[in-house]
Amino acid sequence: MNQRLTEFNLKSTISNQQFLWWRDGLIYQIYPRSFADSNGDGVGDLPGIISKLEYLQWLGVDAIWLSPIYPSPMADFGYDVSNYHDIDPVFGTLADFDRLLSEAHMRGIRVVLDMVMNHTSDQHPWFVESRSSRDNPRRDWYIWRDAKQGREPNNWESVFGGKAWQYDEATGQYYLHLFVPEQPDVNWRNPQVKTAMFDECTFWLDRGVDGFRLDVAHMPIKAEGLPDNPPKFGLRGYDRQDHSNHMNQPETHAIWQDFRQLLNAYPERMAVGEVEVEGAEDYYGDKQNELHLVFNFGMLNRSWDARRFYDIVARWEKQLPEHAWPCWVLNNHDNSRSISRYAAGSATVARAKVAATMLLTLRGTPFLYYGEELGLRDGKIPRAEILDPPGKKYWPIYKGRDGCRTPMPWDATPNAGFTTGQPWLRINPDFQTINVETERSEPKSLLNYYRSLIELRRASPALISGTYRPLARPIGVFAYERETDGQRLLIALNFFSRPLQLKVDQPWRSRLSSIDRPEEIVRWSLSLAPNEAVILEAM
């Protein structure tokens, strides 16, 4: 174990428990195609990630989550898996992955893989066999149905647009695909599917992988009989349905409870689930017997409003079972980047620092998305260059997810140091100023502010494991306390573009501010500058 992690274990005992990486650390999501390209083909790869581990260690990352790296025809850029036991050649080899795992572990960085178990690629050998004939032994590994009155078996719509059923001429039946037609849904009501999928995960656990992010963890089981979805108001076909018949089925929880038992056979392994906000708390299970973490996507909203964030946190804290540990996310590979959502001209970076302070000081595990720490904005992708399936279908109403997946800018050289070739998505035009090398050299940059926040969090028991107590529901200032035995911190976030005052109950010493606030003792009233975040410690 390296010195950094050893020292951290010694100084951050959590309620007399040893530091636990997924609960007490920081998890950083990497979209591998866009992180770092080592061979000049324009697509990021595993050797590229290895070459940037020093940067991630410098930043203070405790774990990396890799979006899918398995072999795939890339109909949905890796979320259509054709082989769970290998690495797609565009990313490297199994030997490259083993080296990444070893190099990361030597630096005290855990590795989490994205696991896609609701569906496979239509090129996966399981599906090739399943569609070969109606009496193939793997026919029931997927969801096949006869036409109903000359139409699709039911009214379900695909998340990416159009009907969720694809007709197969060879066998005269439809198969279900809740995403693109190249992503057929597997049949989790067949116990052989569960066994096979768990075996795929065991392959990676045995290799040393530390955990899994579970794609659409609320969707694997569909309602018995596949009844029509009820209608509701919405713009797209998918939005005009209540999805209660293909989401959050009661039997889903038994799957993840069994999956937890699989993980429990390995030390310190973790699973975090991607689920809908409604009913998300149920996926923690009873007495910690289901998922370790469940994403709350409330903060992916577009409203820069202190009351909105206060309410999101309050509601989640109230809903969570007593044993559950929250996690928070402002960005991911499916949503517009937060710095673009909350852009406000010259105040944009100031707002980004306020958002960063909130993310890294709330009770729970923070997840960062690559480039978030730089202020990487949504890229502007011309229509002719759009690659994302829903973007192609719904442009210009919805331009897809390519904009939040543009390459990581490492320096101001051509192609931002990401590749020596033609990048798979165009580089953001502001890369000469928004890049790692430039921001590392600027003490007041957003990147260095993130690093200072991460260092403070690492050194503060109250920020890692302390209680969360919000102050009164705000108008412009979201303020809360984090406290453990021996440490009490006050976090104050000004969401307004004008100065505000916050009454305080005792003397506090300033620890960190997003502006040039000198170290000071605050008594009775805290004066906040426009768009300022400040962390204070009780004296």
Side-chain angles (χ1 to χ4, degrees), residues 327-349:
C327 64
W328 298 104
V329 57
L330 282 167
N331 296 273
N332 65 25
H333 62 289
D334 285 330
N335 291 273
S336 173
R337 287 183 175 272
S338 60
I339 197 161
S340 294
R341 298 199 308 271
Y342 305 136
S346 61
T348 296
V349 173

Side-chain angles (χ1 to χ4, degrees), residues 276-296:
E276 291 286 301
V277 173
E278 185 69 30
E281 67 276 8
D282 295 337
Y283 286 86
Y284 283 97
D286 179 31
K287 298 180 181 178
Q288 301 183 9
N289 68 345
E290 206 162 326
L291 302 184
H292 299 77
L293 297 173
V294 175
F295 283 124
N296 181 306

Side-chain angles (χ1 to χ4, degrees), residues 372-405:
E372 178 178 342
E373 72 276 19
L374 304 175
L376 185 60
R377 291 158 170 78
D378 288 341
K380 298 185 184 301
I381 310 298
R383 183 182 184 183
E385 297 177 20
I386 289 175
L387 301 174
D388 188 36
K392 288 182 176 181
K393 187 174 185 67
Y394 290 111
W395 192 96
I397 298 171
Y398 176 63
K399 297 181 180 179
R401 300 165 293 177
D402 295 330
C404 68
R405 301 174 177 181

Side-chain angles (χ1 to χ4, degrees), residues 465-485:
S465 63
T467 58
Y468 167 79
R469 186 178 75 84
L471 304 187
R473 189 170 186 268
I475 295 177
V477 178
F478 181 16
Y480 47 91
E481 293 182 5
R482 302 290 312 283
E483 184 174 7
T484 54
D485 292 341

Side-chain angles (χ1 to χ4, degrees), residues 37-210:
D37 171 28
S38 70
N39 61 8
D41 67 357
V43 179
D45 49 40
L46 297 179
I49 296 172
I50 294 169
S51 72
K52 302 303 182 182
L53 288 174
E54 177 277 330
Y55 164 73
L56 296 172
Q57 185 178 15
W58 171 85
L59 183 61
V61 168
D62 295 285
I64 54 175
W65 148 32
L66 306 180
S67 290
I69 53 175
Y70 318 105
S72 167
M74 299 294 168
D76 188 22
F77 295 98
Y79 287 90
D80 49 324
V81 180
S82 58
N83 180 359
Y84 291 94
H85 276 192
D86 206 349
I87 303 295
D88 193 287
V90 75
F91 298 128
T93 65
L94 275 173
D96 291 326
F97 179 80
D98 290 340
R99 186 161 66 93
L100 169 62
L101 202 60
S102 175
E103 293 277 352
H105 285 172
M106 282 194 297
R107 290 171 171 81
I109 298 174
R110 307 292 184 125
V111 178
V112 175
L113 290 185
D114 219 317
M115 202 65 191
V116 186
M117 294 196 276
N118 175 73
H119 47 265
T120 70
S121 165
D122 63 353
Q123 296 182 29
H124 194 291
W126 297 347
F127 188 73
V128 172
E129 288 188 45
S130 182
R131 79 187 308 176
S132 65
S133 69
R134 289 198 182 198
D135 58 0
N136 185 276
R138 285 204 168 106
R139 183 68 169 184
D140 193 42
W141 283 40
Y142 294 82
I143 300 173
W144 293 91
R145 293 294 184 273
D146 290 325
K148 185 176 181 181
Q149 298 177 347
R151 296 179 57 82
E152 293 82 5
N154 64 25
N155 72 341
W156 294 1
E157 295 278 336
S158 162
V159 177
F160 289 167
K163 297 299 181 183
W165 295 94
Q166 181 73 19
Y167 185 70
D168 181 61
E169 293 280 354
T171 58
Q173 282 189 313
Y174 287 88
Y175 66 84
L176 179 68
H177 62 90
L178 286 171
F179 295 89
V180 295
E182 294 86 355
Q183 292 171 291
D185 284 45
V186 296
N187 178 20
W188 275 89
R189 293 191 178 275
N190 182 335
Q192 292 177 310
V193 168
K194 174 184 165 184
T195 299
M197 284 291 189
F198 280 25
D199 285 347
E200 307 294 352
C201 295
T202 300
F203 171 84
W204 293 105
L205 290 167
D206 288 343
R207 218 168 186 94
V209 165
D210 298 288

